[in-house]
Amino acid sequence: MTERLICLLVGYVFGLFQTSYIIGKMHKTDIREHGSGNAGTTNALRTFGKKAGAMTLLGDCLKCVLAIVVVRLIFRNSAADVMPLLAIYAAAGCVLGHNFPINLGFRGGKGIAASVGFLIAFDWRIFVLCAIVFFVIFFLTHYVSLCSLSCYMVALIALIVRGEHGAYGMDRPHTLEMYGVMVFLTCLAFWRHRANIVRLVRGEENKVLVGKSKKG
C-alpha cells in the first residue's frame, strides 16, 4: 500500500504542472476563463492557436512520462515484479493532479493529453493502436471528445487483452488490480467529458477543423 501511495503522490505532483495555464499567463489571461473553461489541450488549441495546442499536448504528455520514469527509478530494485501496476498508479496520480490541481483551486483539464503520456511510457503498442483510432475517427468526424473517449475504451480493452496474455508479467491479483485502476481512469475520462457527451448526443458539440483554430 505504501508503494501505491508514493506512486499516486509522485504522479499528482507532476500533474500539477499545467502547461496550458502557463501559456495562458504568458498571454496575460487565465485559459480557464475562455472556451470550454478547462486547462486542456483542445481548449488551448481553440483559444490560442495550433502552436499553443501543440505545446500543451507535449507538456502534458511529458509530465506523465516523467512521473512513470521517476516511479520506475524509485522502485526498480524493490518492486520490479509489479512495476506495471506501480506505473499505472503513477499515471492515475498524474491525471488526478492535472484534473484537480490543488494549486489552481482543483480546476484543471480533462486528463487526455496526460493519458497519452501514460500510454507512451506504459505500453507503446497500445499507444500506436490508440493513435490510429484517434486519427481515423478525427478525420471522419472532427470531434476531439469522441476521439478521446473512443481511444480510452480501446486502451482499456487492449490493456486487458494483453494482460490476459501475460504481457505484463504479474500475478493474477496484481493484474486484476491494474485492470481496476484502468477502469477508474476510463470512468474518470467519461465523467470529465459528460458535458461533451451530452452535446454529442444533441448534435451540438464543436468540431475542431485543421488549420482553422481560433486564436484569442
Side-chain angles (χ1 to χ4, degrees), residues 12-183:
Y12 188 85
V13 170
F14 274 97
L16 296 179
F17 182 86
Q18 297 285 329
T19 312
S20 65
Y21 181 81
I22 295 171
I23 292 173
K25 286 304 180 181
M26 292 171 62
H27 288 80
K28 299 181 179 180
T29 186
D30 186 340
I31 190 172
R32 298 172 302 170
E33 304 303 324
H34 299 271
S36 61
N38 73 83
T41 299
T42 303
N43 201 30
L45 172 65
R46 287 172 171 158
T47 304
F48 300 121
K50 291 185 289 185
K51 183 178 179 181
M55 291 175 62
T56 301
L57 175 62
L58 179 62
D60 288 350
C61 283
L62 184 59
K63 66 187 181 184
C64 199
V65 171
L66 291 176
I68 292 176
V69 169
V70 168
V71 162
R72 285 174 174 165
L73 290 174
I74 293 173
F75 295 108
R76 61 182 175 181
N77 295 322
S78 60
D81 56 330
V82 292
M83 192 59 72
L85 177 63
L86 298 184
I88 202 170
Y89 269 107
C94 189
V95 170
L96 288 171
H98 176 80
N99 289 355
F100 310 106
I102 190 172
N103 58 322
L104 295 178
F106 301 102
R107 291 180 57 207
K110 296 180 179 177
I112 298 302
S115 299
V116 173
F118 153 54
L119 293 179
I120 291 172
F122 184 82
D123 191 331
W124 66 267
R125 298 166 186 82
I126 297 180
F127 165 72
V128 170
L129 176 61
C130 288
I132 293 172
V133 170
F134 184 95
F135 286 113
V136 168
I137 296 177
F138 179 78
F139 284 112
L140 289 175
T141 69
H142 294 284
Y143 291 125
V144 173
S145 55
L146 178 61
C147 300
S148 301
L149 295 176
S150 297
C151 286
Y152 241 113
M153 289 301 303
V154 169
L156 172 61
I157 294 169
L159 183 141
I160 292 174
V161 170
R162 285 183 51 73
E164 290 301 292
H165 284 82
Y168 304 112
M170 296 187 296
D171 59 25
R172 191 65 179 167
H174 289 103
T175 299
L176 291 176
E177 186 178 351
M178 179 181 66
Y179 297 162
V181 178
M182 189 62 187
V183 169

